[in-house]
């Protein structure tokens, strides 16, 4: 009878670890941001949509086409054991390299930037895929070959795999996404055990590389100079930032009301994209901005907790990388819109208009939720200890 009880107790513990519930803070935060995104994409875009496409619902209809696809991707990735994704990681890395190279030769040019592949009438941005593929690739490599503190050359090898993506994205004239790829790779390698000496050395190298990237192009140099004094270049490179500051300033504490923004009325170019946060500030005020930031904080903190409680190193690294992509993008976007750093083309996750970005972000959240289902539960750990102690007795 004692043996049967021991077997039953073991089964109970195993069932709890396998059938854990998803992290509700992550799930509800993501759904809230998507809902805000749908509302604000319509509100920010209808002047632009009417002027360019003669249909005020043009961008809203496109956004509503991709939201269900993204939500299905979230559910599917939430249900598939994240360990199975290792089998496809090397293949995905190779496909991403091919896609990034293809953009340089046969990519579509939209708004003066050559960053898209047109496949069966659907515009696809490979750089959005690259941000997450490098997370899966580094998580797999570090988990397989061990910590980075054994040899100083190992971090360079890992960063080299990320640098290949970053270089190809940079060739697309997209320094901001290239920088995000390297930021996220650096965070993952640091978390895996990189020494402080190597950390500061790589920060220095990254700083030099970033400076070269900025000043190697007249376009990026002008953007950086206009950031230092946007009012001086208000009719040129500083135009978008100046109107973003006008929007945020006129919003005040409570905003001018949803749908009542003036800056979106053909003053600010494509306000539904990278500068959608300034329209949120104008229409919903400081309160609305704080509310959106608070949701991102809840999401990021919850993601960090999932990473810290993941049951294995692979899950820990994967969760760290996924939440880092969201955190770095959100921080950079809000910093740009508020004039805290030079203007870059980084969308606000889940809120800015863009099908490719939305689908990949939601799929990545599905993986994060899957990791949360298999996390170590402090209560379960206590129960396991109690059961083991009873079994020993």
């Amino acid at each position: 009878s004692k043996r049967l009880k021991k077997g039953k107790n073991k089964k109970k513990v195993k069932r709890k670890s396998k059938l854990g519930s998803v992290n509700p803070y992550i799930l509800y935060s993501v759904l809230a941001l998507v809902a805000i995104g749908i509302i604000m994409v319509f509100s920010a875009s209808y002047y632009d949509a009417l002027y360019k496409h003669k249909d005020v619902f043009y961008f809203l209809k496109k956004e509503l086409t991709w939201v269900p696809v993204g939500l299905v991707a979230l559910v599917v990735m939430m249900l598939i054991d994240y360990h199975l994704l290792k089998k496809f990681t090397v293949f995905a890395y190779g496909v991403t390299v091919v896609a990034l190279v293809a953009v340089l030769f046969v990519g579509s040019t939209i708004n003066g930037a050559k960053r898209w592949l047109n496949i069966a009438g659907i515009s696809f941005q490979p750089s959005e895929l690259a941000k997450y593929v490098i997370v899966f690739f580094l998580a797999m490599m570090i988990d397989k070959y061990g910590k980075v503190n054994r040899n100083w050359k190992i971090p360079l090898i890992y960063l080299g795999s990320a640098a290949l993506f970053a270089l190809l994205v940079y060739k697309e004239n997209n320094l901001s996404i290239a920088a995000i790829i390297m930021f996220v790779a650096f965070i993952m390698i640091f978390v895996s055990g990189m020494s402080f000496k190597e950390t500061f050395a790589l920060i220095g190298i990254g700083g030099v590389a970033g400076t070269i990237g900025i000043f190697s192009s007249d376009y990026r140099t002008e953007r950086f100079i206009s950031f230092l004094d946007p009012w001086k270049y208000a009719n040129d490179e500083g135009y978008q930032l100046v109107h973003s500051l006008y929007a945020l300033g006129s919003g005040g504490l409570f905003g001018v009301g949803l749908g009542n923004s003036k800056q979106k009325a053909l003053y600010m170019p494509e306000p539904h994209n990278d500068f959608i946060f300034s329209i949120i500030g104008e229409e919903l005020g400081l309160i609305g901005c704080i509310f959106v930031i608070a949701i991102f904080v809840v999401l990021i903190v919850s993601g960090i907790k999932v990473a810290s409680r993941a049951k294995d190193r692979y899950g820990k690294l994967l969760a760290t990388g996924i939440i880092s992509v969201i955190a770095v993008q959100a921080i950079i976007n809000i910093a740009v819109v508020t004039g805290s750093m030079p203007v870059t083309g980084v969308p606000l996750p889940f809120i800015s208009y863009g099908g490719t970005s939305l689908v990949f972000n939601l799929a990545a959240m599905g993986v994060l939720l899957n990791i949360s289902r298999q996390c170590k539960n402090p209560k379960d750990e206590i129960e396991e200890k109690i059961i083991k102690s009873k079994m020993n007795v």
Side-chain angles (χ1 to χ4, degrees):
S1 61
K2 287 183 178 179
R3 286 180 182 179
L4 287 172
K5 285 181 180 179
K6 288 176 184 178
K8 287 179 181 179
N9 288 332
K10 283 182 179 179
K11 285 180 181 179
K12 284 180 182 178
V13 172
K14 284 182 180 179
R15 282 175 185 170
K16 284 185 179 180
S17 64
K18 284 183 179 179
L19 303 176
S21 58
V22 298
N23 187 302
Y25 297 105
I26 293 175
L27 180 60
Y28 296 142
S29 296
V30 169
L31 294 178
L33 290 171
V34 170
I36 292 169
I38 292 170
I39 295 167
M40 292 312 304
V41 162
F42 175 59
S43 179
S45 69
Y46 64 76
Y47 279 109
D48 205 45
L50 181 63
Y51 178 72
K52 292 180 180 178
H53 305 282
K54 311 303 179 186
D55 180 8
V56 294
F57 300 106
Y58 179 82
F59 293 107
L60 176 64
K61 286 187 287 189
K62 282 201 164 188
E63 189 76 358
L64 290 176
T65 301
W66 287 109
V67 167
V69 177
L71 292 175
V72 169
L74 181 147
V75 173
V76 170
M77 299 308 289
M78 182 176 69
L79 297 175
I80 296 174
D81 186 353
Y82 65 91
H83 295 94
L84 297 176
L85 300 174
K86 284 184 181 181
K87 297 178 181 180
F88 308 99
T89 300
V90 174
F91 174 75
Y93 186 90
V95 169
T96 305
V97 171
V98 171
L100 290 171
V101 171
V103 170
L104 301 176
F105 293 97
V106 296
S108 302
T109 301
I110 301 175
N111 296 328
K114 195 174 184 180
R115 300 171 186 172
W116 287 263
L117 285 177
N118 199 312
I119 303 172
I122 299 174
S123 293
F124 164 70
Q125 198 169 354
S127 59
E128 292 293 332
L129 175 63
K131 288 185 297 189
Y132 287 112
V133 169
I134 196 59
V135 169
F136 285 90
F137 186 77
L138 287 177
M140 181 193 71
M141 293 293 287
I142 296 171
D143 180 57
K144 186 176 180 179
Y145 296 107
K147 294 183 179 181
V148 300
N149 59 359
R150 293 179 181 178
N151 190 326
W152 66 271
K153 294 179 182 178
I154 294 176
L156 294 179
I157 294 171
Y158 292 151
L159 284 173
S161 63
L164 176 59
F165 280 2
L167 180 61
L168 291 171
V169 172
Y170 175 76
K171 286 290 185 180
E172 299 172 9
N173 199 25
N174 195 348
L175 177 62
S176 54
I177 300 300
I180 287 173
I181 290 170
M182 295 309 296
F183 270 131
V184 171
F186 181 83
I187 291 169
M188 291 181 69
I189 294 167
F190 176 74
V191 168
S192 66
M194 186 166 57
S195 69
F196 283 103
K197 184 179 179 180
E198 291 167 345
T199 300
F200 288 120
L202 290 174
I203 288 173
I205 294 170
V208 171
T211 303
I212 293 171
I214 291 171
F215 292 102
S216 62
S217 165
D218 292 338
Y219 171 70
R220 283 189 288 270
T221 303
E222 288 170 2
R223 272 196 166 188
F224 181 77
I225 293 171
S226 66
F227 155 73
L228 298 175
D229 188 1
W231 307 102
K232 185 178 178 180
Y233 302 92
N235 294 323
D236 299 303
E237 293 300 326
Y239 180 85
Q240 204 166 16
L241 178 56
V242 165
H243 282 275
S244 174
L245 296 175
Y246 280 147
L248 292 170
S250 61
L253 185 62
F254 298 104
V256 297
L258 186 64
N260 295 327
S261 165
K262 292 181 180 179
Q263 294 304 317
K264 70 183 180 186
L266 306 182
Y267 288 102
M268 185 181 294
E270 299 195 358
H272 50 287
N273 284 333
D274 302 340
F275 277 77
I276 196 168
F277 189 76
S278 61
I279 304 302
I280 293 174
E282 185 178 8
E283 295 189 347
L284 305 180
L286 179 62
I287 300 298
C289 290
I290 291 173
F291 180 71
V292 171
I293 292 171
I295 297 175
F296 273 111
V297 170
V298 171
L299 174 60
I300 293 165
V301 171
S302 300
I304 293 170
K305 285 185 177 179
V306 168
S308 66
R309 293 174 182 171
K311 70 176 184 179
D312 52 29
R313 182 166 58 186
Y314 177 63
K316 195 180 294 289
L317 289 166
L318 209 53
T320 299
I322 288 170
I323 203 62
S324 293
V325 172
I326 300 299
V328 171
Q329 280 195 193
I331 291 168
I332 290 177
N333 179 275
I334 294 171
V336 166
V337 167
T338 55
S340 304
M341 66 177 290
V343 174
T344 59
V346 176
L348 187 61
F350 309 109
I351 295 179
S352 291
Y353 171 78
T356 306
S357 175
L358 181 63
V359 170
F360 285 133
N361 283 338
L362 287 173
M365 289 300 102
V367 177
L368 188 61
L369 288 168
N370 185 271
I371 297 169
S372 76
R373 293 185 71 190
Q374 302 184 47
C375 276
K376 297 175 183 176
N377 190 319
K379 291 181 180 179
D380 288 345
E381 288 181 350
I382 294 170
E383 285 181 16
E384 281 186 45
K385 289 179 180 178
I386 294 170
I387 291 168
K388 285 180 181 178
S389 65
K390 287 181 179 179
M391 287 169 65
N392 292 330
V393 173

mmCIF file of all heavy atoms in Angstrom, residues 315-340:
data_model
loop_
_atom_site.group_PDB
_atom_site.id
_atom_site.type_symbol
_atom_site.label_atom_id
_atom_site.label_comp_id
_atom_site.label_asym_id
_atom_site.label_seq_id
_atom_site.Cartn_x
_atom_site.Cartn_y
_atom_site.Cartn_z
ATOM 1 N N GLY A 315 14.898 26.873 -21.813
ATOM 2 C CA GLY A 315 13.711 27.688 -21.583
ATOM 3 C C GLY A 315 14.049 29.042 -20.999
ATOM 4 O O GLY A 315 13.459 30.063 -21.353
ATOM 5 N N LYS A 316 15.033 29.053 -20.092
ATOM 6 C CA LYS A 316 15.466 30.307 -19.464
ATOM 7 C C LYS A 316 16.022 31.277 -20.508
ATOM 8 O O LYS A 316 15.686 32.461 -20.531
ATOM 9 C CB LYS A 316 16.535 29.991 -18.413
ATOM 10 C CG LYS A 316 16.831 31.114 -17.426
ATOM 11 C CD LYS A 316 17.888 30.696 -16.441
ATOM 12 C CE LYS A 316 17.418 29.568 -15.540
ATOM 13 N NZ LYS A 316 16.399 30.005 -14.565
ATOM 14 N N LEU A 317 16.883 30.765 -21.395
ATOM 15 C CA LEU A 317 17.492 31.605 -22.432
ATOM 16 C C LEU A 317 16.458 32.048 -23.458
ATOM 17 O O LEU A 317 16.464 33.195 -23.923
ATOM 18 C CB LEU A 317 18.617 30.838 -23.122
ATOM 19 C CG LEU A 317 19.873 30.612 -22.281
ATOM 20 C CD1 LEU A 317 20.775 29.572 -22.931
ATOM 21 C CD2 LEU A 317 20.632 31.922 -22.095
ATOM 22 N N LEU A 318 15.554 31.141 -23.815
ATOM 23 C CA LEU A 318 14.524 31.445 -24.795
ATOM 24 C C LEU A 318 13.607 32.553 -24.282
ATOM 25 O O LEU A 318 13.309 33.521 -25.002
ATOM 26 C CB LEU A 318 13.710 30.180 -25.084
ATOM 27 C CG LEU A 318 13.068 30.028 -26.467
ATOM 28 C CD1 LEU A 318 14.087 30.223 -27.568
ATOM 29 C CD2 LEU A 318 12.421 28.654 -26.572
ATOM 30 N N ALA A 319 13.159 32.426 -23.034
ATOM 31 C CA ALA A 319 12.283 33.435 -22.441
ATOM 32 C C ALA A 319 13.004 34.773 -22.319
ATOM 33 O O ALA A 319 12.419 35.833 -22.586
ATOM 34 C CB ALA A 319 11.807 32.964 -21.066
ATOM 35 N N THR A 320 14.275 34.730 -21.942
ATOM 36 C CA THR A 320 15.072 35.964 -21.827
ATOM 37 C C THR A 320 15.169 36.670 -23.167
ATOM 38 O O THR A 320 14.977 37.896 -23.255
ATOM 39 C CB THR A 320 16.490 35.635 -21.324
ATOM 40 O OG1 THR A 320 16.403 35.039 -20.031
ATOM 41 C CG2 THR A 320 17.342 36.895 -21.235
ATOM 42 N N GLY A 321 15.459 35.916 -24.223
ATOM 43 C CA GLY A 321 15.588 36.510 -25.546
ATOM 44 C C GLY A 321 14.285 37.074 -26.066
ATOM 45 O O GLY A 321 14.240 38.192 -26.609
ATOM 46 N N ILE A 322 13.197 36.332 -25.895
ATOM 47 C CA ILE A 322 11.891 36.773 -26.409
ATOM 48 C C ILE A 322 11.442 38.058 -25.728
ATOM 49 O O ILE A 322 11.024 39.015 -26.392
ATOM 50 C CB ILE A 322 10.837 35.663 -26.214
ATOM 51 C CG1 ILE A 322 11.104 34.511 -27.186
ATOM 52 C CG2 ILE A 322 9.423 36.212 -26.428
ATOM 53 C CD1 ILE A 322 10.282 33.268 -26.920
ATOM 54 N N ILE A 323 11.530 38.094 -24.404
ATOM 55 C CA ILE A 323 11.066 39.296 -23.704
ATOM 56 C C ILE A 323 12.024 40.463 -23.933
ATOM 57 O O ILE A 323 11.613 41.632 -23.895
ATOM 58 C CB ILE A 323 10.873 39.005 -22.188
ATOM 59 C CG1 ILE A 323 9.878 40.014 -21.583
ATOM 60 C CG2 ILE A 323 12.187 39.034 -21.436
ATOM 61 C CD1 ILE A 323 8.493 39.942 -22.177
ATOM 62 N N SER A 324 13.298 40.159 -24.228
ATOM 63 C CA SER A 324 14.260 41.229 -24.537
ATOM 64 C C SER A 324 13.919 41.922 -25.849
ATOM 65 O O SER A 324 14.072 43.140 -25.965
ATOM 66 C CB SER A 324 15.680 40.656 -24.609
ATOM 67 O OG SER A 324 16.114 40.203 -23.350
ATOM 68 N N VAL A 325 13.466 41.146 -26.835
ATOM 69 C CA VAL A 325 13.069 41.743 -28.122
ATOM 70 C C VAL A 325 11.957 42.767 -27.897
ATOM 71 O O VAL A 325 12.016 43.896 -28.408
ATOM 72 C CB VAL A 325 12.598 40.655 -29.110
ATOM 73 C CG1 VAL A 325 12.011 41.292 -30.362
ATOM 74 C CG2 VAL A 325 13.753 39.750 -29.505
ATOM 75 N N ILE A 326 10.936 42.377 -27.125
ATOM 76 C CA ILE A 326 9.808 43.271 -26.859
ATOM 77 C C ILE A 326 10.267 44.486 -26.049
ATOM 78 O O ILE A 326 9.915 45.630 -26.366
ATOM 79 C CB ILE A 326 8.696 42.525 -26.098
ATOM 80 C CG1 ILE A 326 8.176 41.337 -26.925
ATOM 81 C CG2 ILE A 326 7.559 43.473 -25.735
ATOM 82 C CD1 ILE A 326 7.570 41.703 -28.257
ATOM 83 N N ALA A 327 11.049 44.244 -25.009
ATOM 84 C CA ALA A 327 11.488 45.330 -24.126
ATOM 85 C C ALA A 327 12.359 46.341 -24.865
ATOM 86 O O ALA A 327 12.138 47.560 -24.754
ATOM 87 C CB ALA A 327 12.247 44.749 -22.932
ATOM 88 N N VAL A 328 13.342 45.861 -25.619
ATOM 89 C CA VAL A 328 14.259 46.757 -26.332
ATOM 90 C C VAL A 328 13.493 47.590 -27.359
ATOM 91 O O VAL A 328 13.692 48.803 -27.474
ATOM 92 C CB VAL A 328 15.391 45.950 -27.012
ATOM 93 C CG1 VAL A 328 16.216 46.851 -27.940
ATOM 94 C CG2 VAL A 328 16.302 45.329 -25.957
ATOM 95 N N GLN A 329 12.575 46.947 -28.107
ATOM 96 C CA GLN A 329 11.797 47.675 -29.102
ATOM 97 C C GLN A 329 10.914 48.743 -28.458
ATOM 98 O O GLN A 329 10.838 49.873 -28.953
ATOM 99 C CB GLN A 329 10.918 46.714 -29.897
ATOM 100 C CG GLN A 329 11.648 45.972 -30.991
ATOM 101 C CD GLN A 329 10.692 45.307 -31.971
ATOM 102 O OE1 GLN A 329 11.112 44.494 -32.761
ATOM 103 N NE2 GLN A 329 9.431 45.636 -31.944
ATOM 104 N N ALA A 330 10.232 48.379 -27.386
ATOM 105 C CA ALA A 330 9.331 49.329 -26.722
ATOM 106 C C ALA A 330 10.111 50.520 -26.164
ATOM 107 O O ALA A 330 9.692 51.674 -26.326
ATOM 108 C CB ALA A 330 8.561 48.626 -25.606
ATOM 109 N N ILE A 331 11.230 50.243 -25.536
ATOM 110 C CA ILE A 331 12.052 51.314 -24.955
ATOM 111 C C ILE A 331 12.566 52.247 -26.043
ATOM 112 O O ILE A 331 12.498 53.485 -25.921
ATOM 113 C CB ILE A 331 13.224 50.724 -24.146
ATOM 114 C CG1 ILE A 331 12.695 50.040 -22.876
ATOM 115 C CG2 ILE A 331 14.232 51.810 -23.765
ATOM 116 C CD1 ILE A 331 13.716 49.178 -22.162
ATOM 117 N N ILE A 332 13.088 51.673 -27.136
ATOM 118 C CA ILE A 332 13.632 52.495 -28.219
ATOM 119 C C ILE A 332 12.528 53.323 -28.869
ATOM 120 O O ILE A 332 12.694 54.522 -29.126
ATOM 121 C CB ILE A 332 14.342 51.618 -29.267
ATOM 122 C CG1 ILE A 332 15.634 51.052 -28.689
ATOM 123 C CG2 ILE A 332 14.650 52.424 -30.541
ATOM 124 C CD1 ILE A 332 16.372 50.101 -29.629
ATOM 125 N N ASN A 333 11.377 52.708 -29.152
ATOM 126 C CA ASN A 333 10.287 53.427 -29.802
ATOM 127 C C ASN A 333 9.817 54.610 -28.971
ATOM 128 O O ASN A 333 9.676 55.730 -29.488
ATOM 129 C CB ASN A 333 9.119 52.473 -30.067
ATOM 130 C CG ASN A 333 7.940 53.170 -30.733
ATOM 131 O OD1 ASN A 333 7.087 53.767 -30.067
ATOM 132 N ND2 ASN A 333 7.896 53.125 -32.052
ATOM 133 N N ILE A 334 9.584 54.379 -27.682
ATOM 134 C CA ILE A 334 9.101 55.460 -26.811
ATOM 135 C C ILE A 334 10.169 56.527 -26.636
ATOM 136 O O ILE A 334 9.868 57.727 -26.596
ATOM 137 C CB ILE A 334 8.650 54.880 -25.453
ATOM 138 C CG1 ILE A 334 7.411 53.983 -25.662
ATOM 139 C CG2 ILE A 334 8.328 55.989 -24.459
ATOM 140 C CD1 ILE A 334 7.002 53.179 -24.445
ATOM 141 N N ALA A 335 11.436 56.117 -26.573
ATOM 142 C CA ALA A 335 12.530 57.076 -26.459
ATOM 143 C C ALA A 335 12.627 57.954 -27.704
ATOM 144 O O ALA A 335 12.847 59.172 -27.611
ATOM 145 C CB ALA A 335 13.853 56.344 -26.228
ATOM 146 N N VAL A 336 12.436 57.360 -28.872
ATOM 147 C CA VAL A 336 12.484 58.114 -30.131
ATOM 148 C C VAL A 336 11.343 59.119 -30.201
ATOM 149 O O VAL A 336 11.543 60.302 -30.515
ATOM 150 C CB VAL A 336 12.424 57.152 -31.345
ATOM 151 C CG1 VAL A 336 12.125 57.913 -32.632
ATOM 152 C CG2 VAL A 336 13.736 56.402 -31.490
ATOM 153 N N VAL A 337 10.128 58.653 -29.910
ATOM 154 C CA VAL A 337 8.935 59.501 -30.007
ATOM 155 C C VAL A 337 9.009 60.690 -29.059
ATOM 156 O O VAL A 337 8.532 61.788 -29.372
ATOM 157 C CB VAL A 337 7.675 58.653 -29.731
ATOM 158 C CG1 VAL A 337 6.456 59.531 -29.503
ATOM 159 C CG2 VAL A 337 7.421 57.700 -30.886
ATOM 160 N N THR A 338 9.610 60.503 -27.899
ATOM 161 C CA THR A 338 9.709 61.580 -26.899
ATOM 162 C C THR A 338 10.976 62.420 -27.063
ATOM 163 O O THR A 338 11.244 63.294 -26.244
ATOM 164 C CB THR A 338 9.680 60.991 -25.474
ATOM 165 O OG1 THR A 338 10.723 60.007 -25.341
ATOM 166 C CG2 THR A 338 8.341 60.341 -25.186
ATOM 167 N N GLY A 339 11.772 62.131 -28.106
ATOM 168 C CA GLY A 339 12.968 62.931 -28.372
ATOM 169 C C GLY A 339 14.133 62.595 -27.470
ATOM 170 O O GLY A 339 15.041 63.412 -27.300
ATOM 171 N N SER A 340 14.141 61.393 -26.896
ATOM 172 C CA SER A 340 15.217 60.999 -25.987
ATOM 173 C C SER A 340 16.378 60.318 -26.705
ATOM 174 O O SER A 340 17.427 60.089 -26.106
ATOM 175 C CB SER A 340 14.674 60.051 -24.908
ATOM 176 O OG SER A 340 13.607 60.652 -24.216
#
